[in-house]
Amino acid sequence: MSRKNQTLGEFIIENQTSFKYSSGELSRLINSIRLAAKVVNHEVNKAGLVDIIGAAGDTNIQGEDQQKLDVYANDKFIQTLTNRNIVCGIASEEEDDFISINSQDENNQNKYVVLIDPLDGSSNIDVNVSVGTIFSVYRRVTPVGTPVTLDDFLQKGSQQVAAGYVIYGTSTMLVYTTGDGVNGFTLNPAIGTFYLSHPDMQFPKDGKIYSVNEGNYIHFPQGIKDYIKYCQKEEGDRPYTSRYIGSLVSDFHRNMIKGGIYLYPKSSMNSNGKLRLLYECNPMAFLAEQANAKASDGFTRIMDIEPTELHQRVPFVCGSKNMVEKCESFMREAQ
Ligand code: P6P
């Protein structure tokens, strides 16, 4: 049972028992993500200021070396998860290979691995557009106390135990699921506390917003072109509204609240699309399904795709159930 204005800490404790594998480890993991989110939020929210001051030399406002914000966010999430000795491995968009966290230590009983996109949409920072952190959590498949392997990370999205995002927008929110619905928490920056502001978030079954980079239209598969023309046609409740922020977390978050569909299809320029399966599509797909929506590559459920590489890309269609199914029907007809 979730109560509005409950703090994230209270929510985690209250709902820990509902998580069938609860040993407190996942709670501690979510708590460490909460802490890292606050640290990154502080830096993201003064990016413009820091850039101005940082321009005076190679140091930023605290006298630290000026870092690109996505590298900064990556370092902070890895540092926070590592220092609390909660996970046995981390994979990140910013790291070529996965990172083992003392997993070779036979006393290391930690059973979770985390995959993150530390700052998705970071190119928007310079133009003051919302960006986000995306995370995905699995139980390791190799025995505890042995070194983690790539197999611990190359798991289907359906095996996730938790997933979520932080959106650094007009307000900073942490939105996550552990498989029992989706809940959104808004940060009160004055006291550094996340409060339950959006309990039990659900995608409307239908929507009137479609989010796609139409600049790539001529390179899209025919089915996607047909669906975009369907969205634009004057008929029934259409034309729909086109809204594309260029930040997956922001477009997803708006579409979950208002109803809508996000598309990043494959194209003649990106044969598998642009988004990464393991730390962008799978976590967003978990959230979507927990919020009664859908996520596919246009044909196959995202969370059924068997991963083959850490940084592999897949085409991504995600959002209101009826809109995704309509798009999939155009993809099938055109095939
Ligand atoms: P394009 C940001 O780089 C990102 O991964 C998503 O957040 C965003 O939706 C997409 O890429 C934007 O890509 O090619 O339209 O600029």
Side-chain angles (χ1 to χ4, degrees):
M1 176 63 185
S2 54
R3 297 188 313 274
K4 270 245 181 185
N5 294 329
Q6 199 175 24
T7 68
L8 175 55
E10 292 165 338
F11 182 88
I12 289 170
I13 290 166
E14 188 168 290
N15 291 277
Q16 175 170 302
T17 49
S18 69
F19 180 60
K20 54 182 181 291
Y21 301 99
S22 78
S23 65
E25 199 175 328
L26 185 63
S27 300
R28 292 204 329 274
L29 202 167
I30 301 291
N31 264 313
S32 58
I33 288 175
R34 168 179 65 161
L35 174 62
K38 286 196 268 191
V39 171
V40 170
N41 174 65
H42 182 67
E43 201 67 13
V44 164
N45 278 349
K46 59 177 171 49
L49 178 63
V50 167
D51 287 351
I52 293 166
I53 293 175
D58 292 335
T59 61
N60 66 15
I61 197 163
Q62 295 94 350
E64 298 161 1
D65 290 337
Q66 187 82 24
Q67 287 183 324
K68 276 170 59 70
L69 270 172
D70 40 12
V71 173
Y72 175 85
N74 186 55
D75 292 352
K76 287 304 167 194
F77 274 92
I78 290 174
Q79 190 182 72
T80 307
L81 288 164
T82 303
N83 294 349
R84 277 153 188 74
N85 189 25
I86 300 170
V87 297
C88 55
I90 301 173
S92 168
E93 179 173 66
E94 299 294 329
E95 305 287 338
D96 292 344
D97 200 354
F98 64 84
I99 301 167
S100 164
I101 312 286
N102 323 313
S103 64
Q104 68 292 344
D105 175 353
E106 60 188 17
N107 301 315
N108 179 345
Q109 297 301 305
N110 295 332
K111 55 180 176 293
Y112 293 119
V113 296
V114 179
L115 299 96
I116 55 170
D117 181 355
L119 206 62
D120 180 69
S122 52
S123 58
N124 290 312
I125 286 276
D126 301 343
V127 293
N128 211 3
V129 166
S130 303
V131 292
T133 297
I134 308 171
F135 64 91
S136 172
V137 183
Y138 291 87
R139 241 185 322 289
R140 68 181 296 179
V141 294
T142 52
V144 290
T146 65
V148 285
T149 71
L150 191 55
D151 290 345
D152 292 308
F153 298 90
L154 299 187
Q155 298 188 52
K156 283 185 183 179
S158 54
Q159 299 305 305
Q160 291 174 99
V161 294
Y165 58 80
V166 183
I167 179 169
Y168 310 99
T170 45
S171 63
T172 295
M173 283 189 70
L174 173 59
V175 178
Y176 80 97
T177 182
T178 55
D180 189 23
V182 177
N183 291 284
F185 300 81
T186 300
L187 178 67
N188 176 342
I191 55 174
T193 302
F194 281 98
Y195 286 92
L196 179 61
S197 53
H198 297 67
D200 194 21
M201 298 182 82
Q202 305 257 318
F203 266 85
K205 287 269 182 301
D206 283 298
K208 294 185 174 52
I209 296 171
Y210 70 102
S211 308
V212 65
N213 183 339
E214 296 191 54
N216 299 325
Y217 177 85
I218 58 168
H219 304 293
F220 285 154
Q222 190 54 48
I224 295 289
K225 289 180 178 175
D226 295 341
Y227 179 66
I228 291 173
K229 286 306 167 201
Y230 168 85
C231 293
Q232 296 169 341
K233 189 173 180 182
E234 189 135 20
E235 187 180 62
D237 60 351
R238 286 167 285 128
Y240 296 151
T241 296
S242 173
R243 285 284 183 277
Y244 189 69
I245 298 172
S247 171
L248 166 61
V249 170
S250 307
D251 282 315
F252 180 97
H253 188 75
R254 180 207 53 244
N255 290 349
M256 178 156 62
I257 292 170
K258 291 180 176 272
I261 185 171
Y262 172 96
L263 308 103
Y264 208 103
K266 72 177 186 180
S267 70
S268 45
M269 299 181 300
N270 297 313
S271 57
N272 288 313
K274 175 184 181 184
L275 301 186
R276 314 285 189 166
L277 172 61
L278 289 179
Y279 41 78
E280 289 176 325
C281 300
N282 271 336
M284 302 312 270
F286 191 15
L287 288 163
E289 292 197 5
Q290 285 291 312
N292 289 332
K294 285 191 85 169
S296 77
D297 64 3
F299 300 98
T300 306
R301 178 187 181 227
I302 287 290
M303 295 212 285
D304 286 342
I305 295 175
E306 193 71 54
T308 54
E309 291 165 32
L310 203 53
H311 300 289
Q312 80 183 74
R313 302 172 194 268
V314 291
F316 192 54
V317 178
C318 178
S320 294
K321 194 180 183 64
N322 295 345
M323 298 181 85
V324 171
E325 290 174 352
K326 188 67 180 175
C327 178
E328 289 170 339
S329 69
F330 278 102
M331 295 294 282
R332 282 192 301 274
E333 280 164 36
Q335 201 172 26

